[in-house]
Amino acid sequence: MWTIARKEIIDHLTSVRFIIIFAVLTILILCSAYEGVQHYFKEGSEMLIPGQSAFLAVFTWGITEKIAVVGSLLGIAIGFAAVSQERDSGSLITLLTHPVFRDSVINGKLIAGACALTFAAFTSIALALTTVITLTGVAPTGDEMARLLTFTVISSLYVVMWLSVSVLFSVMMPDTTSSLLASIITWLVSTDLIYSIASLIASIVAPFGGGITMHKVEWKRHFEVFRAITRFSPTCCYRDVARSVLGSPFRGGLVIIEPGKPMPAPPSLLECLSQSWPEITVIVVVLVASFAASYLLFMRQEIR
């Protein structure tokens, strides 16, 4: 299994597809970090987002969104051809004629993909952190570093989840094209369609009035319906968890500020994780269920 994993890791890190998408992801993250730093200089030492430190605010919106969209595409790019491409070319049956167990093959591929994506997530976020520190001359505090490290772990978990989904389609579908198409459709549903459906249903079921402070009961009900539906989307769940961990008070998309009252302080990191357990559970369940289904299907599948 580890021999296969080492080979797959080398193949991933040297493949043109991985290098291009990883480069695009890194460039976009660095551009977002640079833009955030410009806002930081413009605002001085004031908060970019009320209730959140300026340092973490650099990472909250742009970088989170880049990982949510491009990072998931990187996971799909690694996984959609993991099994189907070798099956189409005939190399999979050749491999299985050697004294290699089937579970070693599928486990090696899954481990290799997870390692490559974790490397990509940690590297891109570390480069963004280095850029922010270099340009601002401000080092993060201990709490900020803990939040950034947690954000990196959650981001790695999220992109590995998309690897597991695409590997499942690679095992299920008869060819590589069908696997890619199914993965992209699932990605579109998660990143855009569920969000749009949630917004539409929330507007119908729980319409709200004009001002937030004047109609706060209607607004709260609207966003409760909205968030209940978006929890079916791992991408929306990731956005909520990432923003919460980074200290944004806008977790869930609604913060009602009473006139004359200060912005509520963001909760501690442990409180953020405690509040975000439903979203984290969705990501973990999808990841584990997809890996388990891939394993079971591959072990029972007829290879010819």
Side-chain angles (χ1 to χ4, degrees):
M1 181 180 68
W2 294 111
T3 302
I4 294 174
R6 284 195 298 269
K7 174 189 175 299
E8 291 288 329
I9 289 175
I10 295 173
D11 290 344
H12 289 322
L13 297 181
T14 56
S15 69
V16 176
R17 183 169 58 224
F18 177 87
I19 292 173
I20 291 176
I21 300 179
F22 175 53
V24 170
L25 174 63
T26 303
I27 292 171
L28 289 174
I29 286 178
L30 292 178
C31 289
S32 296
Y34 179 79
E35 291 173 1
V37 170
Q38 299 309 305
H39 287 294
Y40 177 88
F41 282 129
K42 183 178 179 181
E43 299 292 334
S45 60
E46 299 296 325
M47 306 300 183
L48 292 180
I49 299 177
Q52 183 185 29
S53 74
F55 192 91
L56 291 176
V58 173
F59 288 83
T60 300
W61 299 103
I63 293 178
T64 297
E65 189 62 25
K66 300 302 184 296
I67 295 176
V69 177
V70 184
S72 55
L73 287 176
L74 183 61
I76 291 174
I78 286 183
F80 81 92
V83 175
S84 58
Q85 189 173 41
E86 290 199 30
R87 187 171 54 214
D88 294 344
S89 64
S91 59
L92 182 60
I93 191 170
T94 303
L95 173 63
L96 294 177
T97 57
H98 293 77
V100 179
F101 293 107
R102 277 200 181 197
D103 59 344
S104 298
V105 175
I106 189 65
N107 288 337
K109 288 180 177 291
L110 295 174
I111 291 172
C115 289
L117 290 172
T118 302
F119 166 79
F122 271 80
T123 301
S124 58
I125 294 176
L127 289 173
L129 176 60
T130 303
T131 301
V132 174
I133 294 175
T134 302
L135 294 177
T136 62
V138 177
T141 63
D143 178 69
E144 290 171 342
M145 279 302 302
R147 289 179 181 273
L148 287 172
L149 181 59
T150 306
F151 167 69
T152 306
V153 172
I154 291 172
S155 299
S156 302
L157 197 67
Y158 170 72
V159 294
V160 171
M161 183 214 74
W162 280 107
L163 165 73
S164 69
V165 171
S166 58
V167 169
L168 174 60
F169 286 127
S170 182
V171 174
M172 290 175 55
M173 296 300 171
D175 53 66
T176 304
T177 303
S178 300
S179 173
L180 176 60
L181 184 60
S183 300
I184 294 298
I185 291 174
T186 305
W187 174 79
L188 288 173
V189 170
S190 177
T191 56
D192 187 62
L193 183 60
I194 292 180
Y195 185 92
S196 300
I197 292 175
S199 180
L200 177 62
I201 294 177
S203 299
I204 296 173
V205 174
F208 49 83
I212 297 180
T213 56
M214 295 178 59
H215 303 83
K216 58 182 180 181
V217 175
E218 290 84 354
W219 274 88
K220 286 182 177 179
R221 184 164 178 264
H222 174 87
F223 276 97
E224 285 174 359
V225 175
F226 176 81
R227 289 195 60 206
I229 299 173
T230 55
R231 279 177 177 164
F232 288 96
S233 165
T235 302
C236 293
C237 290
Y238 166 73
R239 290 189 181 112
D240 276 355
V241 174
R243 291 168 185 168
S244 178
V245 165
L246 290 173
S248 172
F250 295 101
R251 178 186 182 275
L254 176 65
V255 175
I256 297 178
I257 308 171
E258 298 290 345
K261 293 185 178 180
M263 171 70 74
S268 67
L269 178 57
L270 291 179
E271 289 174 337
C272 291
L273 292 174
S274 176
Q275 294 172 1
S276 301
W277 72 264
E279 290 83 5
I280 296 175
T281 300
V282 169
I283 295 174
V284 172
V285 167
V286 174
L287 189 156
V288 173
S290 299
F291 272 157
S294 302
Y295 179 89
L296 293 175
L297 287 174
F298 184 77
M299 293 296 291
R300 298 180 178 183
Q301 199 171 59
E302 181 180 359
I303 306 297
R304 57 182 180 179

